[in-house]
Amino acid sequence: GLVPRIAGRGFSPDDLKKGVFGRRLNVWNLSCRTLTQCFDLGEDSLPMSVKFLHNPDAAEGYVGCAMSGIIYRFYKCEANNWAVEEAIRIPAKDVSGWILPKMPAFTTQLVISLDDKYLYLCNWMHGDIRQYDISKTCKPQLVGQVFVGGSILRGGPVTVCRDEELKCQPEPLVIKCKRVYGGPARMQLSVDGKRLYVTNSLYSTWDKQFYPNVIKEGAVMLQIDVDTEKGGLSVNKNFLVDFGKEPNGPCLAHDIHFPCGDS
């Protein structure tokens, strides 16, 4: 993941040349506290979120890489060792008016539904939340996508020159008369899988750099309604927790957890 002192001073393009970001997925044997396997996921891949399937018989899961935009599936082989394969690739966008000529998705979190049917991910830079059907774990299918901010919004300082996925830049989001800034950073899925909650602050130093309005106006928590039958996401226009209205001034909301633990 991110080295805390590096994260604390914000993002610099030079960091990419220095190789300060994590690039490995490590497998530990906890009973004897030894590192048994190590997967190099590529230079500056920045693996950030690791999630296992909930089914106790399934020895597999996914790891999301923020910089490379690749979600890898890891799984246990018959020989009791682990293997890794690419499952999803979110291409960077060619942009102008931004800190780099290519904008990575910057996938910050993965969430798997309790029934192991869907995988959700949020891209803090691009601004979208995605839902994948993972009934075939090696071939996730994109079934839902919604934009809740991000750095490529129409009318902003960034122009997208080339995009392998979108035909036009997404519209800004307004909920209950409040313009939502920032990008989706952390998520929590309800136990029934029908409500996906999302907040939009990552690290205060990074927020300040990429989304200064989040610092000024405070973060928000939004609710995304999920179609659990066919797949599909939509922003709930009646739900807004506005952390800009706190008694001691605007706050930055990060992790969301239910008392019952993971969804």
Side-chain angles (χ1 to χ4, degrees), residues 60-239:
E60 63 178 308
Y62 298 92
V63 54
C65 298
M67 280 303 207
S68 63
I70 299 173
I71 315 302
Y72 292 94
R73 171 181 170 250
F74 57 84
Y75 56 96
K76 206 169 197 177
C77 310
E78 284 164 16
N80 227 18
N81 60 349
W82 293 79
V84 169
E85 66 182 18
E86 185 180 313
I88 298 165
R89 179 182 287 262
I90 301 166
K93 300 180 190 299
D94 293 1
V95 293
S96 63
W98 198 63
I99 192 168
L100 292 166
K102 278 188 182 294
M103 184 189 290
F106 215 81
T107 309
T108 46
Q109 197 180 19
L110 308 180
V111 169
I112 296 174
S113 62
L114 260 182
D115 58 8
D116 291 338
K117 187 179 174 185
Y118 295 115
L119 167 75
Y120 300 89
L121 59 83
C122 58
N123 296 319
W124 190 65
M125 295 290 191
H126 287 179
D128 58 326
I129 297 168
R130 298 180 181 215
Q131 176 190 25
Y132 289 86
D133 183 324
I134 52 167
S135 32
K136 281 196 180 127
T137 51
C138 53
K139 280 213 165 85
Q141 299 292 322
L142 181 63
V143 290
Q145 183 179 29
V146 67
F147 279 83
V148 293
S151 293
I152 56 161
L153 297 176
R154 189 195 294 265
V158 175
T159 304
V160 178
C161 315
R162 183 170 170 271
D163 193 326
E164 290 177 37
E165 297 181 319
L166 300 178
K167 291 190 170 60
C168 58
Q169 294 181 226
E171 297 293 335
L173 179 64
V174 177
I175 303 267
K176 293 189 157 191
C177 304
K178 183 180 169 87
R179 164 77 193 268
V180 174
Y181 295 99
R186 309 298 284 176
M187 301 179 294
Q188 175 76 73
L189 184 68
S190 65
V191 173
D192 65 7
K194 293 181 176 173
R195 289 161 290 127
L196 184 66
Y197 296 98
V198 59
T199 52
N200 62 344
S201 166
L202 185 60
Y203 295 110
S204 57
T205 45
W206 290 52
D207 295 343
K208 195 173 176 182
Q209 187 176 357
F210 291 103
Y211 299 118
N213 283 321
V214 172
I215 302 281
K216 200 167 73 200
E217 299 200 14
V220 296
M221 181 164 79
L222 305 173
Q223 179 181 316
I224 311 301
D225 295 329
V226 179
D227 183 334
T228 52
E229 296 301 309
K230 300 191 201 89
L233 302 176
S234 59
V235 179
N236 187 316
K237 290 296 180 86
N238 298 313
F239 184 98

